[in-house]
Structure formats: C-alpha cells, structure tokens
Amino acid sequence: MASKWSALIIGRLEERAHRFGELRRAVPGITQKMLTQTLRGLEHDGLVDRTVLAHKRPPQVEYSLTDLGHTVTEPLAAMREWTERHLPDVRAARLRFDEPTPG
C-alpha cells in the first residue's frame, strides 16, 4: 500500500474497473513488470479483484476495487490534496536541502 504505484492504481480503479492495458496507459511511467507486481500485491492484500472475462475472445482480465479497496480511497484523496496544497513548500525545502553548505 505504501508505494506510489499502489496509490496511482487505486486512484484509477476508484473511477471504474480497468483492463491491464488501460491501467498501463492511465499510469504514466509504470512498466509492465511493475504494474503486474503492484496489482498482484493489491490483490494479495484484498484491495483489488481480478476477474477473467472468459466470454470475450480472447479472454480478458479486468481489475476493480474490492469493498476493502474502496475504504482506502478517502485517505488517499486526503494525501493527494495535501500534496497538491503543499507541493511548493516541499519543492522549496528540497532546494534548501540541496544547496551547498558554506565552508
């Protein structure tokens, strides 16, 4: 749950169920391997449900949030709001930290 990828994936699945390829396109910068690992972890934790749509040809896999997964969306929304509100402060702190020290 602590990875940025988990938060981004949960944010996308909050909207609706997605197929793997849709998630990969919707989460910029994520690799296929990382998406697979993150989805497996979220499924293992009971936050994401993986459904095989066998009636489709070829069969497709769809991911959606479980009831437990929906309970984490509100805290994640609060973190996103905090991040957006305080991003300038964080950037300023990073610049101060990265400044060379005199002497």
Side-chain angles (χ1 to χ4, degrees):
M1 238 334 283
S3 81
K4 72 175 182 178
W5 299 121
S6 294
L8 291 170
I9 290 167
I10 289 170
R12 291 301 178 179
L13 293 177
E14 182 180 7
E15 302 165 0
R16 63 176 177 81
H18 284 70
R19 291 190 318 275
F20 185 90
E22 291 177 314
L23 280 172
R24 187 157 181 221
R25 288 186 297 276
V27 180
I30 195 166
T31 64
Q32 182 171 338
K33 179 181 177 182
M34 185 54 64
L35 179 57
T36 299
Q37 288 176 349
T38 305
L39 285 169
R40 284 184 183 154
L42 291 170
E43 186 180 7
H44 183 257
D45 292 342
L47 302 174
V48 167
D49 186 39
R50 179 182 184 271
T51 303
V52 177
L53 306 172
H55 64 281
K56 302 251 184 175
R57 293 289 176 241
Q60 297 175 351
V61 176
E62 188 174 79
Y63 297 90
S64 59
L65 289 181
T66 63
D67 289 341
L68 181 61
H70 280 286
T71 67
V72 78
T73 60
E74 189 175 332
L76 286 176
M79 286 297 297
R80 279 192 307 271
E81 290 170 16
W82 182 93
T83 301
E84 290 167 2
R85 185 170 43 251
H86 295 286
L87 190 56
D89 302 321
V90 171
R91 285 185 175 143
R94 287 177 178 173
L95 287 173
R96 284 191 305 274
F97 183 87
D98 292 339
E99 288 177 356
T101 55

